[in-house]
Amino acid sequence: MQYRTLGKTGLNVSEIGYGGGRVRPEHDEISLVNMLHHAMDSGLNYFDTAPDYGGGYSETIIGKAIAGRRKSCIVATKTEAYDPDGIAIDVEGSLQRLGTDYIDVLQFHGGWFYAEDTERILNGGGLAAYLKLKQEGKVRFIGFSADGPSGGIEQFIATGEFDMMQIHYNLMYQSTCDAFGRRGIIPDAVAQEMGIVLMRSTTSNAFQNLMKHCFPNEMADVDVDSFLLNYSLSNPMVNVALMSLQRIDDVDWTNAVSDNVDARLDLQAIHGR
Ligand SMILES: NC(=O)c1ccc[n+]([C@@H]2O[C@H](COP(=O)([O-])OP(=O)(O)OC[C@H]3O[C@@H](n4cnc5c(N)ncnc54)[C@H](OP(=O)(O)O)[C@@H]3O)[C@@H](O)[C@H]2O)c1
């Protein structure tokens, strides 16, 4: 496993992070916890979840997995609420399910952050509530997760208060960062020394499904997942690529992609023609 620094947080993060977004109550608890222990033993230290994922089950599973190993784990969760009262309720619930007394990274769960969301966060007490939690020591760093660029995100970045951003970027979706790292909200956030965590690092299966549809016979032997993950890791502005790891085998192949540093692509050469 290779490591990167998560922007101004200074945290030394594994470049593959666990994404708990696809965990559902019908998924077996013991298999998931065993898989997460194998991931930790293989060097993974970043875990992303949310109160909303599996109705709290995702946080509960991560809580069971980090028990006894809390100090070496970086736990990122979110609030579904953007108002102070709702944020307090969400955070207390997360702390309980995660079995911890602090959250490493707390993110406003987006979305696209429409005008009313942005208003609630910036002027309705949402950001102030996050900063208070940071001051109290319940939360170490703050950020937001977003599916794409919006005026709201530009305003969040401009405050200079956020430590990180979780954002959509991959081979298919490039509007958050040009190949030269000069235009887009990823370079804007990096200019504020924010850490960059990727959701949909391997296109949430959209590219794979498209390829299988177009080339049903040819794709059987092609390792598209490794190619896509390597593509995302080839962007030097990216600190963590989240993956919804499900099986021990997922831990092993993603680790192999991380360690195969000689395979990184020159994105400027590819896109700059
Ligand atoms: N707004 C946010 O904060 C946000 C949004 C997305 C992801 N994330 C984070 O990023 C992590 C990685 O996410 P990812 O999308 O990149 O997952 P991924 O690791 O690419 O995994 C994709 C898997 O999820 C399934 N999947 C994709 N979209 C789905 C959907 N809308 N509903 C149910 N299943 C779906 C796919 O199944 P098929 O075979 O059916 O395609 C595939 O098995 C998540 O676990 C989460 O932590 C955050």
Side-chain angles (χ1 to χ4, degrees):
M1 177 66 76
Q2 302 296 306
Y3 296 83
R4 304 186 186 193
T5 303
L6 185 68
K8 62 184 165 189
T9 70
L11 294 171
N12 190 33
V13 286
S14 54
E15 63 181 16
I16 309 294
Y18 171 69
R22 312 296 174 203
V23 174
R24 296 292 174 267
E26 57 270 26
H27 298 158
D28 181 57
E29 175 182 316
I30 293 172
S31 312
L32 282 169
V33 172
N34 285 345
M35 185 273 296
L36 287 172
H37 284 163
H38 179 61
M40 292 175 198
D41 294 342
S42 308
L44 187 148
N45 67 4
Y46 193 92
F47 302 83
D48 180 75
T49 183
D52 207 25
Y53 294 163
Y57 186 61
S58 172
E59 288 186 328
T60 302
I61 292 292
I62 290 176
K64 289 188 192 263
I66 65 174
R69 308 182 186 214
R70 177 67 185 96
K71 280 208 179 92
S72 57
C73 299
I74 298 161
V75 179
T77 190
K78 312 188 181 88
T79 64
E80 312 304 334
Y82 298 163
D83 65 290
D85 290 347
I87 289 167
I89 293 168
D90 277 357
V91 167
E92 286 313 314
S94 292
L95 289 171
Q96 218 166 39
R97 284 185 292 273
L98 290 163
T100 182
D101 56 3
Y102 69 95
I103 291 163
D104 295 285
V105 181
L106 188 68
Q107 306 150 100
F108 287 106
H109 198 172
W112 290 96
F113 295 109
Y114 299 116
E116 61 272 23
D117 303 323
T118 309
E119 176 63 20
R120 225 174 295 153
I121 290 168
L122 294 182
N123 302 318
L127 175 57
Y130 266 43
L131 291 171
K132 187 160 171 272
L133 286 164
K134 206 173 160 180
Q135 224 170 23
E136 292 167 352
K138 280 191 180 170
V139 169
R140 294 176 71 198
F141 301 105
I142 64 169
F144 55 88
S145 70
D147 250 305
S150 71
I153 293 171
E154 285 173 19
Q155 290 180 57
F156 295 166
I157 293 171
T159 65
E161 299 284 8
F162 289 97
D163 301 301
M164 60 75 72
M165 168 173 82
Q166 183 188 143
I167 192 71
H168 188 175
Y169 168 84
N170 55 52
L171 174 83
M172 285 180 93
Y173 190 82
Q174 306 261 319
S175 58
T176 47
C177 188
D178 82 322
F180 298 94
R182 292 175 59 190
R183 300 297 291 270
I185 50 171
I186 290 180
D188 290 350
V190 169
Q192 294 276 6
E193 297 180 78
M194 290 168 64
I196 304 296
V197 174
L198 295 191
M199 62 166 77
R200 311 193 191 283
S201 318
T202 57
T203 79
S204 298
N205 266 6
F207 185 77
Q208 296 89 322
N209 290 337
L210 182 69
M211 287 293 112
K212 278 183 208 149
H213 178 76
C214 295
F215 310 105
N217 302 319
E218 293 83 345
M219 292 313 292
D221 298 326
V222 182
D223 185 0
V224 187
D225 293 316
S226 293
F227 170 75
L228 290 168
L229 180 55
N230 184 53
Y231 183 95
S232 291
L233 292 175
S234 296
N235 186 324
M237 290 189 161
V238 170
N239 304 141
V240 179
L242 294 179
M243 294 296 297
S244 304
L245 308 170
Q246 285 164 45
R247 291 171 298 276
I248 297 273
D249 177 52
D250 295 330
V251 175
D252 295 339
W253 76 256
T254 53
N255 233 298
V257 173
S258 169
D259 280 336
N260 191 7
V261 288
D262 292 340
R264 297 290 178 266
L265 302 164
D266 182 344
L267 299 184
Q268 297 190 9
I270 293 171
H271 292 280
R273 302 172 62 218

